[in-house]
Amino acid sequence: PGASEALARGAAAANAVLWYGMADDDEIERLAATGARMIEIIKPYADRDLIYKKIAHAGALGLLAVGIDIDHPFSDDGGVDVVDGFPMAPLRTAELEEIVKATKLPVILKGVLSRQDAEHGLGAGAKGLVLSHHNNRIEYAAPPLAMLPEIAQIAGDAPLFVDCEIQTGMDAFKALALGAKGVCIGRPLMTAIKEGGSDAVRDYLNSAADGLRKAMAYTGSADLNHIDPSVIRRF
C-alpha cells in the first residue's frame, strides 16, 4: 500500500493521470484520497458480478474512467489465467456492450493490438483504447507503436493510448506523432519508487515531460494536436 500511495502522490504532483488495477476497494479509496486523477483498470474476472461491483465503486469515487483489460484471460499454457486467486474469462463483445451501458463513466479497453480488437471494442461503445501487450506477455506480438497508425485510421475521435516500453519524452513524442492521445509509463516508475518514493515518481514524470517539450520544440510542433507525423521515419 505504501508504494501504491507513493505512486499516486507522485502522479498527482506531476499532473499525470494514475492508471491502476488489481487492488481491493480499500486500496482504490486510499489512492483516490491522494487527489490523483485516476482510472481503474479492471481484469476480465470470470465472476462478472465482480466487474460490475468494481465499476460501481469507481463511479461512486468519481474516478475519471474505468478500463477493462481484454487481453488477460489466458495463462501461459493457454488455459484459464488466475490472478491473485481470481480466475479470468474472455469477454464477448455483447458483454462489453452491457458493461458500457452499466455506467456513466467512460469505458476504455486495454490490450488492443489489432484492427479487429479496435473495431469490436469501439462497436461495443468503448470511449478509448489502450494499445498494449503487457510488456510482451504475448510473445512475437507486434509492438503497440507499430500497430498505432493502422488503428488510428479507424478510431475516429476515440482517444488512443500506448503502453509497453514507453520510458521517455521522445517515446511519447513518437506515439503522439503517430496518432496517440497519450502514453502510459509503468515499469520505470516502479524503480523510481524504490529509489526515492513519490518525489522520484514526480521527478521522473516531469523529466519525461521535459523530453517531450524538447522533441516538440526541435520539430516545430506548436502543441500536442499539431505534431507532423512525417517527422517519424521507419527504417
Side-chain angles (χ1 to χ4, degrees):
S4 62
E5 288 166 19
L7 178 64
R9 290 192 296 270
N15 198 29
V17 173
L18 174 67
W19 300 63
Y20 201 84
M22 287 311 298
D24 60 27
D25 289 353
D26 288 343
E27 185 174 1
I28 295 296
E29 290 169 12
R30 290 197 303 272
L31 298 180
T34 65
R37 294 176 297 154
M38 185 173 172
I39 297 172
E40 182 178 3
I41 303 297
I42 300 171
K43 294 290 186 185
Y45 296 103
D47 179 359
R48 301 307 199 212
D49 288 342
L50 184 55
I51 294 176
Y52 286 97
K53 288 176 182 177
K54 284 185 168 291
I55 289 174
H57 185 247
L61 290 175
L63 302 190
L64 292 180
V66 290
I68 302 296
D69 190 339
I70 63 171
D71 77 341
H72 214 272
F74 305 112
S75 63
D76 289 340
D77 63 4
V80 173
D81 200 7
V82 178
V83 181
D84 289 352
F86 294 97
M88 304 290 133
L91 285 161
R92 299 188 302 273
T93 302
E95 289 182 292
L96 289 174
E97 291 178 359
E98 293 304 313
I99 288 171
V100 170
K101 293 175 183 177
T103 178
K104 294 181 180 179
L105 291 177
V107 175
I108 300 170
L109 298 189
K110 183 176 186 289
V112 172
L113 205 58
S114 70
R115 175 181 289 269
Q116 291 87 345
D117 289 342
E119 289 174 343
H120 284 290
L122 294 172
K127 301 303 182 185
L129 307 173
V130 181
L131 280 63
S132 173
H133 54 39
H134 279 79
N135 281 301
N136 208 34
R137 173 179 170 80
I138 307 171
E139 296 91 340
Y140 309 107
L145 207 62
M147 297 305 302
L148 177 57
E150 180 178 341
I151 293 174
Q153 290 179 355
I154 64 172
D157 294 331
L160 303 180
F161 305 91
V162 176
D163 190 22
C164 303
E165 296 302 325
I166 302 295
Q167 300 187 30
T168 68
M170 182 57 76
D171 293 335
F173 176 81
K174 294 174 185 177
L176 295 169
L178 293 173
K181 182 61 70 173
V183 299
C184 302
I185 296 178
R187 291 176 186 266
L189 300 183
M190 298 177 191
T191 301
I193 289 171
K194 293 179 181 178
E195 293 178 349
S198 60
D199 288 347
V201 170
R202 177 202 62 206
D203 292 346
Y204 191 100
L205 291 171
N206 284 339
S207 177
D210 289 343
L212 173 58
R213 277 188 285 270
K214 176 182 177 180
M216 292 175 64
Y218 274 78
T219 56
S221 304
D223 56 54
L224 294 176
N225 294 317
H226 295 88
I227 299 178
D228 184 354
S230 70
V231 302
I232 304 298
R233 299 289 178 174
R234 292 177 181 268
F235 294 97

